[in-house]
Amino acid sequence: MIVRSRANQILNSLFPNSDKEGHTYIGLSTTTPTETGSNFTEPPAVNGYERISITVMGAASDGQISNNKIITFPLIKNNSWGTVTHFGLFSSETGGTPYLFGEINTPVELPVGYLACFDAKGLIVGLDKTSLDV
């Protein structure tokens, strides 16, 4: 089991809150990723989709961290993004596989003209005994 204080340090390092510290990007998937992070299907960029740099996370506490402000994706244009079921965290704006991913509690269909977002405190990432394989 991971010690809570160490989990907090790890989570805080994943979510820098300044451009000087690097970036963590969040992406959306319409498919269920595998344990290796493959099968992460993002909506097409032609429909307005892009990963978002996360700089609005609060400080980790009790092995969890959440956003303290809304995280908003660009306006959906041309075609629907489909039904989004998962999110993933990436070290780059494009390409690669997520280093961490999770299920969205309520999958949501994202039609043209809408904005996808995570409300403040809506994105919760944790490191605890239920989220680690032992």
Side-chain angles (χ1 to χ4, degrees):
M1 182 180 307
I2 190 165
V3 176
R4 292 273 185 214
S5 61
R6 185 66 179 137
N8 293 341
Q9 290 172 337
I10 292 167
L11 289 167
N12 286 330
S13 72
L14 290 176
F15 297 99
N17 284 312
S18 116
D19 288 339
K20 298 176 188 172
E21 301 176 48
H23 294 277
T24 293
Y25 295 88
I26 187 167
L28 302 174
S29 180
T30 58
T31 56
T32 302
T34 65
E35 288 183 17
T36 63
S38 64
N39 198 45
F40 194 94
T41 308
E42 295 177 270
V46 70
N47 294 336
Y49 174 81
E50 63 184 44
R51 292 179 191 162
I52 302 300
S53 177
I54 302 176
T55 59
V56 296
M57 300 301 270
S61 175
D62 291 328
Q64 292 187 333
I65 192 168
S66 65
N67 56 317
N68 53 20
K69 294 182 182 175
I70 194 168
I71 298 170
T72 305
F73 287 81
L75 181 70
I76 300 167
K77 59 183 182 179
N78 299 328
N79 289 301
S80 165
W81 285 3
T83 300
V84 173
T85 59
H86 289 78
F87 71 91
L89 302 179
F90 296 82
S91 58
S92 62
E93 195 170 5
T94 60
T97 56
Y99 58 79
L100 189 149
F101 64 86
E103 190 172 353
I104 293 175
N105 289 339
T106 304
V108 61
E109 170 70 28
L110 296 173
V112 173
Y114 280 69
L115 293 171
C117 66
F118 287 91
D119 287 334
K121 308 290 185 205
L123 175 63
I124 301 169
V125 178
L127 297 178
D128 59 29
K129 67 180 182 178
T130 61
S131 62
L132 299 174
D133 288 330
V134 291

